[in-house]
Amino acid sequence: MDNDSSGRIVGGLREWIARAAPGARLPATRALVAEYAASPVTVQKALRTLAAQGLVESRPGVGTFVRAARSAPRPHDYGWQTAALGSPRERGPAVSAALRTVPNEVIALHSGYPDRELLPERLVRAAFARAARGEAAVARPPVAGLPELQAWFATELGAVTPLGAQPPAPSDVLVLPGSQSALGTIFRTLVGAGRAVLVESPTYWGALLAAAQAGVRLVPVPSGADGPDPEALERAFRQSGARVFYAQPSFANPTGAHWAPERADRVLDTVRAHGAFLVEDDWAHDFGIEAASVPLAARDEGGHVVYLRSLTKSVSPAVRIAGVVARGPARARILAGAQAESMYVSGLLQAVALDVVTQPGWRTHLRGLGRRLAARRDLLAGALAEHVPEARLEAVPRGGLNLWARLPDGTDPERLVRDCEAAGVAVASGDAWFPAEPAGVHLRLNYAGPDPGAFPEGARLIGQALALQRTA
């Protein structure tokens, strides 16, 4: 009833406003209550609706007035910026489809983040409440990070360090605002503009974006379900003169590759032989299913491995916290670069992250998370086999969040993405994960997204769009 009355008042006042001059004062609320036989609450709701529509403006203590008419909209002229900015030195990759927000009715297989039901939401909310009452809400943290959080990152890595090897110290750890910021800082400080960095192909699109922003030159190294080709890595180091190799040894994004110990040893030996760094991105540390992440950094005492461990995806997208373990002068350079970019990381977010990962419920959450990811992975993989048999999975990943599906040669990936979304399923073309020309047509499909019950329907729609493309 109130909604009907409010709409009636809005309609009547719109007619009144159309006849009134700009700046005219509307009748007082008491008069409108009497005129429309409505409650004061209903009248105020109608006035708020008119204000939201830009027809009136309220002046506290004075009244409500007809808003003055604005001049007709005109296009902005930013042409002067073209000359001021000049031509970009290098056109970096576009922001990935993985960050797009789609309507709720669309089946979302494109995202790079886990659904809320896979997050420790209760722990996160409680941690924010406690942190807001503590010192972290008002204090400036140390530039390298809260000592307790540094110690947690160091202890976690030290727990898998072989006997006889030197585990990392808390002072080797830097806390940075998420892995994306960390990658940009690492590429600027350890590589430098114009110099080469080796990357797996395909690899994380965010690393490609960070490298483009830092102005470094990408040198692709072929990489498959077992990791990079050691001989190709050796050639790339020798021919490029690069001194940094960026890689994801555990559950790589997008392929899901998980390096065997023998492959990891060969890569480490190659890196050491060339006096180089391996930037180990352990983004999926908490997303193991049939295997666990055992960082290469645990087997390195000489400072060759710069280890990046993010908590953003496994704790909460709102808690952008990552730890970087680096030894020697490399650590000092990364810290200086991080200070130049962000000075320090929010103490509140650091306190929240530390609170979550030190709660007993965190380990309980991770034990259940692996089982839930396995069920989702198997459901989506089975649906693809049934509805998109021409999509080939090189391997079913033993952890991580994604399936990497190879499509038939000749498939138009951009058209497929458009057709799928028009049909009601969002997918991500694999092109964005290649540092050079794509080696085939791929889709990266996230099995950690919302509503897993819709996965079979999503796969059916992908198969339908692919079939239509073949017959067009």
Side-chain angles (χ1 to χ4, degrees):
M1 185 68 181
D2 283 348
N3 287 338
D4 292 343
S5 299
S6 174
R8 181 169 54 86
I9 297 170
V10 169
L13 288 179
R14 285 178 68 93
E15 294 179 4
W16 188 93
I17 292 167
R19 299 189 300 268
R25 182 176 178 177
L26 272 67
T29 298
R30 183 177 300 176
L32 293 174
V33 166
E35 179 181 352
Y36 289 97
S39 70
V41 172
T42 302
V43 170
Q44 289 297 324
K45 182 178 179 180
L47 293 176
R48 288 196 299 270
T49 298
L50 292 168
Q53 295 172 352
L55 298 177
V56 301
E57 58 185 355
S58 177
R59 301 174 191 170
V62 180
T64 303
F65 298 83
V66 177
R67 185 182 291 274
R70 296 180 182 271
S71 59
R74 58 183 184 276
H76 296 292
D77 181 11
Y78 298 127
W80 66 270
Q81 293 189 4
T82 301
L85 294 172
S87 178
R89 187 173 45 186
E90 182 177 337
R91 295 190 183 276
V95 174
S96 172
L99 292 181
R100 287 187 302 122
T101 300
V102 297
N104 290 336
E105 64 271 15
V106 173
I107 302 168
L109 300 178
H110 70 296
S111 176
Y113 287 82
D115 187 41
R116 277 179 58 175
E117 70 172 33
L118 297 174
L119 300 177
E121 186 169 343
R122 181 182 59 80
L123 297 180
V124 171
R125 291 186 181 277
F128 266 108
R130 284 189 287 268
R133 297 192 297 266
E135 186 70 13
V138 293
R140 179 182 65 80
V143 294
L146 294 179
E148 299 87 351
L149 188 55
Q150 288 179 290
W152 182 84
F153 279 116
T155 300
E156 183 188 61
L157 186 56
V160 292
T161 299
L163 291 176
Q166 183 67 36
S171 58
D172 295 325
V173 178
L174 305 174
V175 179
L176 297 182
S179 62
Q180 191 63 27
S181 174
L183 286 172
T185 300
I186 289 168
F187 288 150
R188 284 193 304 273
T189 55
L190 299 190
V191 183
R195 298 174 66 183
V197 60
L198 307 186
V199 297
E200 295 176 282
S201 180
T203 192
Y204 171 46
W205 68 266
L208 303 180
L209 183 62
Q213 291 292 314
V216 305
R217 179 167 57 88
L218 296 172
V219 178
V221 177
S223 189
D226 298 322
D229 180 342
E231 294 181 0
L233 179 64
E234 165 63 34
R235 285 195 302 272
F237 267 123
R238 189 173 62 251
Q239 294 171 1
S240 68
R243 290 295 177 265
V244 174
F245 174 38
Y246 166 79
Q248 305 168 84
S250 294
F251 321 127
N253 179 4
T255 63
H258 186 66
W259 300 3
E262 299 77 14
R263 180 67 56 94
D265 287 339
R266 290 190 63 183
V267 169
L268 269 178
D269 289 344
T270 301
V271 168
R272 290 167 177 150
H274 286 272
F277 293 98
L278 170 65
V279 177
E280 180 182 9
D281 187 349
D282 195 15
W283 72 278
H285 185 91
D286 299 317
F287 300 131
I289 298 177
E290 283 97 13
S293 170
V294 181
L296 275 68
R299 290 182 275 166
D300 173 64
E301 294 183 272
H304 287 280
V305 179
V306 175
Y307 177 67
L308 173 56
R309 161 77 158 105
S310 174
L311 294 173
T312 302
K313 284 187 170 65
S314 53
V315 172
S316 167
V319 184
R320 294 200 58 81
I321 293 293
V324 173
V325 179
R327 308 190 195 199
R331 179 192 181 277
R333 289 201 182 187
I334 296 170
L335 177 59
Q339 284 183 266
E341 179 182 350
S342 57
M343 299 296 289
Y344 54 85
V345 181
S346 163
L348 186 69
L349 293 185
Q350 292 189 66
V352 168
L354 179 65
D355 188 322
V356 171
V357 298
T358 54
Q359 291 292 328
W362 170 245
R363 305 310 308 177
T364 302
H365 165 74
L366 292 183
R367 284 194 294 271
L369 180 60
R371 293 191 296 271
R372 296 164 77 185
L373 287 174
R376 287 164 167 263
R377 178 201 62 188
D378 296 344
L379 177 62
L380 184 55
L384 286 177
E386 178 180 356
H387 296 291
V388 201
E390 57 270 70
R392 182 173 62 86
L393 299 179
E394 187 174 350
V396 175
R398 303 173 69 197
L401 304 178
N402 311 297
L403 297 181
W404 183 241
R406 174 71 183 265
L407 300 180
D409 292 341
T411 303
D412 182 342
E414 293 184 4
R415 177 185 165 187
L416 182 62
V417 169
R418 291 194 304 269
D419 291 348
C420 283
E421 189 150 349
V425 58
V427 298
S429 166
D431 289 7
W433 280 266
F434 285 93
E437 291 78 9
V441 183
H442 296 80
L443 289 181
R444 195 206 68 167
L445 304 172
N446 181 0
Y447 52 77
D451 193 12
F455 288 178
E457 174 63 9
R460 187 189 69 79
L461 294 174
I462 295 171
Q464 185 179 76
L466 193 58
L468 287 173
Q469 187 174 137
R470 287 200 307 269
T471 58

